Amino acid sequence: KLSGLASEAPRHFEERREFAAMGKEKDKMPEVDQWGSVKFFPVLLIGVFLPRLIGGAIAVAIFQKGNTALYNENMASLVKGEHGYLYAAAAVFGVMVSWVNQFPMLYKHKVMRINSGNLRANMMIYKELGAKEDAPYIGLETEGPVGCYNRANRSLFHFTENSLAFAVCLVLAGIIFPLPVLALTTAFAVGRMMHQVGYATAGYGGHALGHVLSLAADMTIQMLCVLVAVKSLGYSSQVSQIIRVEL
């Protein structure tokens, strides 16, 4: 029996070394993809503008299928003071928020991959000052309760990165579309909570459904501001001809 155990020991330790090596390899940064930014740039543009097209369609549906008479009455008070420009400014601000959140992704796709999993939760990649060129990078712990804690906080940061435009448009759009804005704010809140719970418990990918829900609410409320700007500034007929929908 002792001789059998002795013969098994080297194989046991070899398996342990292989397992440890696999863990280290998993935690390594992928090789830099010099073309990653070029590959991602079309996705960046789509990510900024496609959700607004979808949100715009929902906004038009809200206007047409909801209490249209009330919405028009509320907008009429904006015409004299040219407050439509304020609503247009809120929409421009929203595009800026989307851009500055998407722009770092150009570089993220140089150093990470779509299938990099929880590694993608890292907002920053660190290296010790004065370290050798080939020294390992320092990133977030991704496993166990510490990993859950890190991802829950990453979701919180994602909220603060993206919510300012929603907060601005919530106030402005709510003056014209009170009930729809309540519904959109509820959807946004539920989506953000789903995002955090899913990210923390299931890891990267578990936040997707909550992200889609909150993004749809965000883009719709921003496009409600665009709709108000268009109508109160007198561009309804021109825009209606372009989108083939009567405003």
Side-chain angles (χ1 to χ4, degrees), residues 1 15 17 20 27 44 54 61 69-70 91 100 107 109 118 120 125 131 148 175 193 201 218 230 238 243 246:
K1 290 183 179 179
E15 289 175 351
R17 282 197 297 269
D27 292 335
L44 184 151
I54 297 171
L70 173 65
V100 299
Y107 300 98
H109 280 262
N118 289 329
R120 295 178 63 86
I125 304 295
C148 294
I175 296 171
M193 288 186 284
T201 57
D218 187 9
V230 166
Q238 295 92 322
I243 65 175
E246 187 66 31

Side-chain angles (χ1 to χ4, degrees), residues 81 93 118 139 222:
F93 182 78
N118 289 329
Q222 290 188 40

Side-chain angles (χ1 to χ4, degrees), residues 36-111:
S37 295
V38 176
K39 295 174 185 175
F40 184 76
F41 188 72
V43 181
L44 184 151
L45 295 179
I46 292 170
V48 171
F49 295 108
L50 179 60
R52 284 176 167 78
L53 293 177
I54 297 171
I58 299 172
V60 170
I62 289 172
F63 174 72
Q64 291 184 328
K65 306 297 183 182
N67 193 344
T68 307
L70 173 65
Y71 306 151
N72 281 325
E73 181 181 341
N74 291 342
M75 278 186 271
S77 62
L78 303 176
V79 176
K80 186 176 180 180
E82 295 188 338
H83 290 110
Y85 291 115
L86 178 61
Y87 283 78
V92 171
F93 182 78
V95 172
M96 178 275 295
V97 170
S98 294
W99 175 269
V100 299
N101 274 280
Q102 292 282 346
F103 184 76
M105 300 290 284
L106 291 174
Y107 300 98
K108 185 172 187 175
H109 280 262
K110 278 190 169 187
V111 299

Side-chain angles (χ1 to χ4, degrees), residues 2 13 192 213 221 233 236:
L2 289 175
F13 287 118
R192 290 311 317 180
L213 179 59
I221 210 166
L233 294 174
S236 297

Side-chain angles (χ1 to χ4, degrees), residues 1-24:
K1 290 183 179 179
L2 289 175
S3 62
L5 289 172
S7 64
E8 287 291 325
R11 188 172 68 180
H12 172 73
F13 287 118
E14 183 64 30
E15 289 175 351
R16 290 285 299 273
R17 282 197 297 269
E18 289 178 1
F19 181 79
M22 288 171 61
K24 290 179 180 177

